[in-house]
Amino acid sequence: MSDPLVVCQQVSKVFKDFWRRDRAKAVNALTFDIRPREVFGLLGPNGSGKSTTIKMILGLLTPTSGRIALFGKPPTDVSIKRRIGYLPEESYMYGFLNARETLEYYAKLFELDYRTRVKRIDELLDMLGLTNAQFRPVREYSKGMQRRIGIAQALINDPDLLILDEPTTGLDPIGTKQIKELIIELGRHGKTVLLSSHLLADVEDCVDRLVILYGGQKRAEGTCDDLLVSQSKTLIEADTLDEATVAEIDRLIRSRTDGGITKVAKPRQSLEALFIDIVERAKSEIVTSGATAGGNTASFLKGEEVQGDALIEQLVLKSEEPVLADVGGRAAGSQAAVLAAAAAAADNSVIGDLLAAGSNADTRNVTSGQEREAGRPTRGGQTSSTSAPPLAPRVAPSQEAIDNSLIGGLMGDGGGNQAGRSGDQGEKKSGPQSGADRGGVGR
Amino acid sequence: MKLRSTLADLDRVQQSRGFKIVATCIALGAAIAICIAYGLYKSSLESPSKVTVDASEYQALAPTGDEAADKEAAAVIAEQRSAAEATSQIINEILSSKQAISGFVIGAGVLTALALVVIWLGLGLTYLGLLMVSALLAWLSILVGRGKDLGIASVGLVALIAAFTALMQMLRLAFAGTGPVMAIARNTLIEAVRMKVSLIFIVLMVFGLAALPLVLDSEQPLRYRIQSFLQFSTAGSFWLIALLVLTFSVASVATEQRDKVIWQTMTKPVAAWQYILGKWLGVVSIAAALLVVSSSGIFLFTEYLRSQPAIGESESYVSRTGQGLTEDRLIVETQVLTARTTVRPLPLALDEAQFEKNLQDRVESEMQTLQQTTGTAEELRSKRAYLRETISTSLRRSVQMAYRVIPPGQAVIYRFEGLNAAKASNRPVILRFKLESGANRPDASFKITVQFAGASPSVIPIGLGQFHTLPITPRIINESGGADLQVINGDISTGQPNEGALSFSPEGLEISYSSGGFQANFFRCVAVLWVKLGFLAMLAIAASTFLSFSVASLVSMAAFLAAEGAGFVNSALENYWTEDEKGNVLIVNTITAKIATVVGAVFKVYADLRPTSRLVEGIELSLGDVLAGTVVLLGITGILYAVAVFIFRKRELAVYSGN
């Protein structure tokens, strides 16, 4: 396993007043690390020390004790900042600059040459739906637009480590969805992402591992599956069943186990899904003066900025090398991008196989061990070894095919995906509700 | 729509390379043609008739038989003839310089350079239209009877704004490169123009400069008009730009920290030294642009004023009497629009043995008065040493002050040294003096007699509190570059002394000689002003790295005022007493004097440069002074820079303490 990208060892931060007296202990003996190419979540309620931790990682604060290392160097090392992109909790921009000037400024700080700057700025503005508003001063932007330009400046240098502090704050559900997709895609393409948020549903969809903070201390650490999956229950989805059928199933369960059916409910579409659906239909009819819906992910973020010989080399590589699907993770090595695409393709084929595995592929979607929500964007996916069929080596499809299949899945243009989406939303709970259910998550 | 499309077409034309090349050729050609035409016009003018000395007026008197008296009379006549010839020489040089076109060429060069900048920024047609509109406005103002001054002010206003805008565009292009320093400097430039607070200063300066000619009184002597304009325009511009530099520097750095905008800069690969340097470069660039604009306007209008008729002239350089130059014109050319080196008299050489004896007596007297005759030997020794130091300083100061006072009917000799260059140039020198009396009564008339060693005495009626000048031949300077001047409080010819004692202020007596031209001196003064602004910018930036906006502003302003006032403080300290008449130490005065001494010492270099007053008084700011001052000020700026970088690196930017 490669060395961690970010290492925090027994990090503490105590804020002092003017007279050097201790005022507040924001972070207390925090230890965690972030591995390369993973999306890492930093969760916690307000005041739990998330932002303080991030600021110490970035050198904006000095730890009172402990050690922090980024890429093996201290946070104050200027050279490592070339590989970092940072989006603070609020977008602190120069109000007198317009969007293009803002990105131009930050691009120059990274010493990007003119062509690269222009290309990336155009792509980022398009990706974030700011092309029409690029010449307006940033101070005239809505909060959501300011957030988008903040994201753009965090991505301008194609960072290896992307640190996002509450990235979806101020964004509508469409924008939130886009950001989550972006994070997942960045992770798939070998970026390391540190995501801090208290919007748990947003984090759950994106991260590989997470740490939960409270009072500046680590309370839990692990993958979503490790932390969230309930091993003591099984959830089954089916078409509408009458009471008699339900009773029969209950009797069957009781005959085989000590318990019976604990809950029967009708699934319902989430408000987020309804919202997205309505907006997607409306956007083709009305042109707004604000931010528009975003475009495709910028090519440089997908590692598509290849020219000439490099392009030929990649194409040759794709056609010659067999790709091994690694269920547990992502293949390492110099062809990381290609192999990552292959892994994604393998994941999609698993999803397809699962959907087709029942007697009625359009009506049944059975999960076991973990919730599989085919309608929502997910990470590369870790299937349970007990339920998933073995994967055959496949030749990696093109990146475009992967994107199209994902997008198709998200937009519900396949029958199986449509049913899968309606099925999984029966038990879906929103973030705050989940927190309330658990009873331990504060605000 | 049609207008918009026409404007768009015109914009495309002025952005095209072909247009830029053609416009450049036209601008250069026009500038050269105008300079040549002006030169031809000047040369076609009838050369002013040279002023000559009528030898018949200085013929030797008939011998009286007294050889000594005859010899003395002949010497007096020779001296008077020499003085007349010196005056004629100065006048002839001035009349010759009127034929020179250097000032016009420089002005035309500056305007041409700005025009080229505008053309290559793709704004050629825009600015041409702007100037045509302003010219139309000026013409209309003349038509409606508002006078040509209002017209000139309107054109000047538009020209200043246009020049500033073009320069800022040029600077943005100059800082268009990649890298943190360039990016931050460019961003600072943009911020300055788009921030309302800086725009206010810029507008004030531009409007003030354009309106200043309107308040000049045309009935005043030309020298006063020129000096007033130079004083108010140069000092006013510098103060406005300095306030802008201080305010903007603090605002730019402190508010970025307060508003957390700096987080997104300092989490990029930007070192602290790059951030501070970038900010400083941006601010000094703005200051440079404003200085260029204001100084260009000041220089051009000063040359315009020079071309106006002086008091007693029918037209410029032509006296109504038809002979020579008027006094007003002479003073303008020899004392105001020139660069003079001044030499002040040496302090009185004390008989140190006698001084020591007097000092000892005073010390013992003080010890007796204070009844300090008992105590341990160490205490007595310490007290004596303290008294000795204070009394010695006080005595020396009193002696030098007394040296500058001339009782009625008495004479005092003043020695000058360092006039070797004046003697070598063999050009007339100027004796310049200002006398004060106890009451400075405006109704009283005074006469003094001045006499250089080896020359005849001159009786001069004087007004108190104003400078008087007397051209003198360089033959009064001896071989070692020295000159002795005797000043008598009274009229030697009538033997009548004045009513009261007269005194020179510390800078009220000097010999000056021309050592350069006004143009070069003007540009050196502007260069020094820019170096000062650079120092102020770094001072403000350094303060704002760790202070809030309000506190940093106060600190910067206080330092600026202390620096500007250091010259006054240093000269006032000479007359500031820390003891009362009985010799008792005044604690408040002592503390004040200590603080003032430190402030004066810290900012001595800054204060001693005095570019504005030198410009107004026509005193040379030599290249050596400029370089020395620049080195020292840049060194201090560098120290402030190092301090700012050190502090900034240690700052926890996510903790703001300045709310």
Side-chain angles (χ1 to χ4, degrees), chain A residues 13 62 96 101 117 153, chain B residues 178-179 194 256 264 268 652:
Chain A
K13 179 61 184 175
T62 308
F96 55 86
E101 289 171 336
R117 282 204 310 269
Q153 64 81 32
Chain B
T178 57
R194 296 183 188 177
E256 273 192 29
Q264 292 185 190
K268 306 287 186 286
E652 289 187 290

Side-chain angles (χ1 to χ4, degrees), chain B residues 406-451:
Chain B
I406 310 172
Q410 302 293 316
V412 178
I413 295 177
Y414 299 96
R415 293 206 153 80
F416 295 84
E417 281 184 357
L419 294 167
N420 307 69
K423 186 164 182 68
S425 71
N426 201 29
R427 298 181 72 212
V429 298
I430 304 284
L431 175 67
R432 195 162 172 264
F433 58 90
K434 181 169 73 171
L435 284 159
E436 313 274 354
S437 183
N440 265 5
R441 289 164 46 201
D443 58 321
S445 64
F446 294 83
K447 282 186 181 177
I448 63 169
T449 306
V450 297
Q451 182 179 17

Side-chain angles (χ1 to χ4, degrees), chain A residues 92-261:
Chain A
Y92 305 115
M93 295 287 157
Y94 291 103
F96 55 86
L97 297 177
N98 60 38
R100 179 162 283 275
E101 289 171 336
T102 298
L103 295 180
E104 186 83 19
Y105 168 66
Y106 290 116
K108 285 182 180 179
L109 295 182
F110 288 105
E111 298 183 354
L112 298 179
D113 61 82
Y114 176 74
R115 270 194 195 167
T116 306
R117 282 204 310 269
V118 170
K119 187 168 182 297
R120 288 192 183 181
I121 289 171
D122 288 340
E123 288 189 358
L124 284 169
L125 290 173
D126 180 61
M127 182 180 95
L128 292 159
L130 291 173
T131 303
N132 291 345
Q134 62 178 303
F135 295 117
R136 284 169 51 196
V138 171
R139 63 170 172 268
E140 295 179 8
Y141 280 9
S142 66
K143 185 169 183 183
M145 291 166 74
Q146 290 193 358
R147 213 78 187 108
R148 289 166 195 260
I149 193 68
I151 292 165
Q153 64 81 32
L155 297 171
I156 192 70
N157 61 319
D158 192 18
D160 294 328
L161 171 64
L162 185 62
I163 299 176
L164 305 173
D165 197 350
E166 313 279 358
T168 56
T169 303
L171 295 180
D172 58 29
I174 303 287
T176 300
K177 174 172 165 281
Q178 188 182 16
I179 296 306
K180 289 195 290 188
E181 288 170 4
L182 177 64
I183 292 170
I184 293 167
E185 189 156 359
L186 288 172
R188 193 179 302 127
H189 287 290
K191 307 297 183 187
T192 306
V193 180
L194 169 57
L195 173 61
S196 165
S197 180
H198 60 265
L199 300 176
L200 304 177
D202 296 343
V203 173
E204 185 180 352
D205 298 334
C206 307
V207 301
D208 294 325
R209 288 192 308 128
L210 59 92
V211 150
I212 298 178
L213 302 183
Y214 184 82
Q217 290 183 317
K218 184 171 65 177
R219 298 293 173 173
E221 182 178 5
T223 64
C224 284
D225 289 343
D226 293 342
L227 296 175
L228 299 178
V229 168
S230 171
Q231 300 293 337
S232 62
K233 292 192 184 296
T234 299
L235 180 68
I236 299 172
E237 282 193 7
D239 278 350
T240 304
L241 302 174
D242 57 20
E243 285 189 19
T245 307
V246 171
E248 191 174 334
I249 295 171
D250 184 48
R251 276 197 294 279
L252 177 64
I253 291 171
R254 286 180 191 282
S255 68
R256 298 193 181 187
T257 65
D258 293 335
I261 294 175

